[in-house]
Amino acid sequence: LDLEGKDDYQKISAIYDYICDNVVYDYDNLNNEAYPLQFTAYAALINGTSVCQGYANLFYRMALDWGIDARLIAGDAGGGHAWNIVKMGDYYYNLDSTWDAGLRPNYMWFLKCPATFVNHYRYLEYETPEFHAAYPMGATDYVYNESDFVEEPVLGDVDGDAVQTVEDVYMIRLVVAKLAELTDEQKNAADLDGDGKITAIDANILRKYILEIITEIPVAAG
């Protein structure tokens, strides 16, 4: 899904799009008690077919794999049903990939607050004060604002590939030799000692870190 460097909303959207585009409801095995695979993330991902619990399990697993906090919620929606809540900023929002499957881009159940997530009723274990305190829900539907998820640059990752390598050391040395210029974001990543300047010291700190001569990059000042 090419999620490296993406913010949380972009990751959630890509995962949700993938599930809604590629998983179909397993009506053939809906009442087949001899086929429990229908409830699994495996069936949704590998076989491309599952019931609602498989959809929700797959979103849960994929979200957690990318560092996004999510939960599976069980309840009633005209019958036993499963969906997810996912954290965006300080709050959680509802989404139901089962009901949105095949509807892209006209989703009706994506990042919804409780007031607009109609016809979904949680089982009581998900309605306790303790549960709501641990997973506070947004009061309104989530509206994406790209500036909410501007991440701090990773120290030493000058080329922006999410890992510190000798290529980053080389870029710093080119700047020191006045053979290259960096963007402001690249400068923040290259300033390992936090003195506001890009010098050979920064290149040496990064080189030692890559060679494991030091095991931690010093935290830049400011």
Side-chain angles (χ1 to χ4, degrees):
L1 297 182
D2 191 25
L3 299 183
E4 290 288 354
K6 300 294 179 64
D7 65 36
D8 286 355
Y9 177 85
Q10 292 167 333
K11 292 176 182 177
I12 291 168
S13 294
I15 293 168
Y16 198 75
D17 287 345
Y18 178 85
I19 294 172
C20 290
D21 288 349
N22 292 283
V23 184
V24 297
Y25 198 85
D26 191 359
Y27 288 103
D28 291 341
N29 291 293
L30 179 57
N31 298 308
N32 183 0
E33 296 181 359
Y35 183 73
L37 199 66
Q38 63 181 300
F39 302 108
T40 66
Y42 180 92
L45 181 65
I46 303 302
N47 299 338
T49 181
S50 71
V51 295
C52 57
Q53 186 175 335
Y55 281 82
N57 275 327
L58 180 56
F59 180 87
Y60 168 79
R61 292 296 301 271
M62 294 178 75
L64 261 62
D65 279 348
W66 283 97
I68 298 167
D69 194 16
R71 281 284 309 233
L72 188 149
I73 302 294
D76 186 275
H81 192 50
W83 60 91
N84 297 99
I85 57 172
V86 65
K87 189 175 186 181
M88 294 291 295
D90 295 328
Y91 298 100
Y92 289 80
Y93 298 85
N94 296 291
L95 40 77
D96 187 343
S97 55
T98 306
W99 284 16
D100 268 338
L103 297 183
R104 180 156 69 123
N106 301 312
Y107 292 143
M108 298 177 61
W109 310 101
F110 181 64
L111 297 181
K112 294 292 185 178
C113 68
T116 61
F117 201 61
V118 296
N119 299 322
H120 290 73
Y121 307 97
R122 298 181 181 191
Y123 291 145
L124 292 180
E125 64 192 276
Y126 304 101
E127 292 284 20
T128 66
E130 294 79 12
F131 191 89
H132 283 293
Y135 303 96
M137 300 298 297
T140 59
D141 294 347
Y142 183 81
V143 177
Y144 178 53
N145 182 354
E146 189 172 3
S147 64
D148 290 344
F149 292 93
V150 175
E151 297 183 0
E152 293 296 322
V154 177
L155 281 177
D157 178 26
V158 184
D159 60 9
D161 65 355
V163 62
Q164 301 100 330
T165 67
V166 292
E167 294 297 329
D168 299 303
V169 176
Y170 180 66
M171 289 181 69
I172 295 174
R173 288 176 172 171
L174 288 178
V175 173
V176 173
K178 302 187 184 303
L179 297 175
E181 294 186 0
L182 301 177
T183 66
D184 289 342
E185 185 176 357
Q186 288 174 321
K187 289 176 182 177
N188 289 335
D191 183 18
L192 281 88
D193 63 1
D195 66 355
K197 298 178 288 185
I198 310 302
T199 68
I201 294 174
D202 298 306
N204 195 41
I205 292 173
L206 183 56
R207 182 186 66 83
K208 289 181 178 180
Y209 177 75
I210 293 169
L211 293 175
E212 297 183 351
I213 296 172
I214 58 175
T215 58
E216 183 176 332
I217 296 177
V219 177

